[in-house]
């Protein structure tokens, strides 16, 4: 079902989560930023260097996570023409 999120556990410290909508994405991203301890890798079609996502990215949580020493990586696509 393309409308439902799901999780694939890789091991006890790594999981992949599929989030199909922007609304679900924003809440989940905030939760991940709050809980991350070491590293967070975000691959998302909702984040782009071509758009401003200050509201969606939860900048306070992003800053707090980096202040805790969490390494955060974004994997994003390029702008389509």
């Amino acid at each position: 079902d393309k409308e439902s999120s799901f999780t694939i556990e890789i091991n006890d410290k790594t999981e992949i989560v599929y989030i199909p909508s922007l609304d679900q994405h924003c809440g989940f991203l905030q939760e991940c930023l709050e809980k991350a301890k070491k590293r967070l890798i975000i691959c998302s079609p909702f984040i782009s260097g071509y758009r401003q996502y200050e509201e969606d990215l939860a900048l306070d949580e992003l800053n707090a996570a980096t202040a805790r020493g969490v390494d955060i990586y974004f994997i994003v696509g390029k702008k389509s023409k």
Side-chain angles (χ1 to χ4, degrees), residues 8-76:
I8 300 169
E9 292 190 26
I10 305 299
N11 58 44
D12 63 336
K13 295 182 181 180
T14 305
E15 60 185 35
I16 297 171
V17 181
Y18 171 75
I19 306 290
S21 75
L22 180 58
D23 289 337
Q24 292 170 323
H25 177 271
C26 294
F28 182 74
L29 180 56
Q30 182 173 345
E31 180 182 333
C32 288
L33 289 167
E34 291 170 355
K35 291 182 176 181
K37 293 182 172 101
K38 183 175 181 178
R39 181 181 309 121
L40 182 60
I41 301 170
I42 301 163
C43 179
S44 172
F46 300 117
I47 299 172
S48 163
Y50 294 95
R51 255 178 86 182
Q52 297 297 319
Y53 283 97
E54 282 102 10
E55 294 174 21
D56 301 337
L57 280 176
L59 292 179
D60 289 341
E61 287 83 2
L62 181 66
N63 290 330
T66 57
R68 290 193 314 271
V70 176
D71 293 325
I72 301 173
Y73 301 90
F74 291 93
I75 301 169
V76 298

